[in-house]
Amino acid sequence: MNLALIISFLKGTIGAATPILYAATGEIVSQRSGIMNLGLEGVMLMGAVSGYMVVLNTSNLALGIFTAAAVGLLIGLLFAFLTVTLQADQVVSGLSITLFGTGLSGYIGKSASTSALDLHFPTLKIPLLSKIPVVGDVLFDQDLMVYVLYAVVIAACIFIYKTKWGMQLRTIGENPRAADTLGINVYRTRYLYACVGSVLTALGGAYLTLCYTPLWFDGMTAGKGWIAVALVIFSGWNPAIAALGAILFGGISVLSLRLQLIDTSISSHFISMLPYLCTVAVLLIFTNKRSRGRNPSPSSLGQPYDREGR
């Protein structure tokens, strides 16, 4: 195979993996605190449409990103209020966020669904690093949001496993009552990480409309939020492994798109299913591990914490 084609495929893989990894990293942080948000699809759609509409009307990329992050923050606050303050069921609340975000994003973006952005984040070559053969072209000839993602994943790994605050985060996810007795404010901490997770997820959605595909159409995430949820499970709640998983899913997505462009006897419908078949396979593998007693999920995941309860 031509080297240029390999580099093009790998660059496309990084691009396809980026929105999924933004959402997965945010969800890992959230779930580490015991908060399970299954509304990633809705949050990504809201981030995508809000960033797109702002840039379409203002031609200001920074304002578009800021707006997407602000929308993610508001949704995160809403979800935290439901699940932490009101102690509503986290699964039901997450599904409600998905339905809400899907419907509202379609309504907001309806008037501009045929308009393409003339302005989007360009690729930026990092001096010296971009000169590394193959690796430089793939990893260091990307857009600004990809470089920010590199920093986010590295920071998340260091934060979770190497800092005092990360230890507190993991303690809350495993045993919130023990964390409370140590003086850690469980409610405030869960609010914080639910919001951080939602902001990162919204940025993943904004990446789709401001970098990857500079236009908006209803339901453009096409299940990427659900793939991110599966990726969290696949990674064992580890951002570094999630990055590898996102690259795998991204590669499968790019491959499925390219196979549809060539003359092949394989049905295009089956090819389109490939990323989702892999998602199902990941869930089956995890279920098998859990049945054998190997469950790396936080012990209090999905369980509301009542300080007065016994």
Side-chain angles (χ1 to χ4, degrees):
M1 185 182 292
N2 189 294
L3 181 60
L5 291 177
I6 295 175
I7 291 174
S8 175
F9 173 78
L10 293 176
K11 285 187 69 174
T13 295
I14 297 297
T18 295
I20 300 172
L21 187 53
Y22 262 112
T25 304
E27 184 64 5
I28 286 172
V29 172
S30 178
Q31 290 197 16
R32 281 285 186 177
S33 72
I35 297 296
M36 178 172 57
N37 185 357
L38 296 183
L40 301 190
E41 187 80 358
V43 179
M44 288 185 77
L45 284 168
M46 287 300 297
V49 73
S50 60
Y52 167 84
M53 293 299 291
V54 167
V55 174
L56 184 66
N57 289 283
T58 67
S59 298
N60 189 321
L61 286 171
L63 184 59
I65 289 295
F66 176 80
T67 301
V71 168
L73 176 61
L74 290 175
I75 297 175
L77 285 171
L78 172 62
F79 184 76
F81 176 73
L82 292 172
T83 57
V84 178
T85 301
L86 300 183
Q87 297 187 7
D89 185 277
Q90 294 182 17
V91 173
V92 174
S93 299
L95 295 177
S96 299
I97 293 293
T98 289
L99 294 174
F100 169 77
T102 301
L104 184 58
S105 64
Y107 175 77
I108 293 173
K110 185 177 181 180
S111 62
S113 60
T114 59
S115 304
L117 291 178
D118 295 326
L119 183 66
H120 57 88
F121 283 98
T123 57
L124 300 171
K125 288 181 177 288
I126 296 182
L128 299 180
L129 293 177
S130 62
K131 300 297 183 182
I132 301 173
V134 182
V135 174
D137 290 325
V138 173
L139 296 180
F140 304 111
D141 185 16
Q142 297 284 350
D143 57 74
L144 181 61
M145 288 195 72
V146 173
Y147 298 139
V148 170
L149 179 61
Y150 295 165
V152 166
V153 173
I154 293 171
C157 290
I158 295 173
F159 177 82
I160 292 172
Y161 298 108
K162 301 295 182 180
T163 68
K164 177 185 70 175
W165 300 281
M167 182 179 295
Q168 291 177 352
L169 168 65
R170 286 181 283 135
T171 301
I172 291 172
E174 293 295 336
N175 192 334
R177 191 164 300 282
D180 200 355
T181 60
L182 293 173
I184 301 171
N185 191 318
V186 175
Y187 300 118
R188 183 174 61 195
T189 304
R190 285 188 166 180
Y191 255 87
L192 172 63
Y193 292 118
C195 290
V196 169
S198 187
V199 168
L200 289 176
T201 301
L203 291 178
Y207 177 85
L208 289 171
T209 51
L210 302 184
C211 300
Y212 194 65
T213 307
L215 53 85
W216 162 261
F217 55 89
D218 193 14
M220 70 178 301
T221 52
K224 288 181 174 60
W226 296 110
I227 292 177
V229 173
L231 190 58
V232 172
I233 299 170
F234 167 81
S235 69
W237 290 262
N238 185 322
I241 299 176
L244 298 177
I247 291 172
L248 173 62
F249 282 116
I252 295 171
S253 298
V254 172
L255 179 62
S256 66
L257 290 174
R258 298 199 175 192
L259 285 175
Q260 294 180 51
L261 299 177
I262 63 177
D263 186 17
T264 176
S265 59
I266 304 175
S267 169
S268 62
H269 299 291
F270 177 78
I271 293 172
S272 299
M273 288 169 56
L274 286 176
Y276 308 101
L277 289 175
C278 289
T279 302
V280 173
V282 165
L283 293 175
L284 289 175
I285 291 171
F286 175 78
T287 302
N288 183 53
K289 286 184 177 180
R290 185 169 59 182
S291 66
R292 297 179 180 179
R294 294 180 304 209
N295 185 4
S297 64
S299 299
S300 69
L301 181 61
Q303 301 174 12
Y305 174 63
D306 182 6
R307 190 175 193 181
E308 304 302 324
R310 297 299 180 191

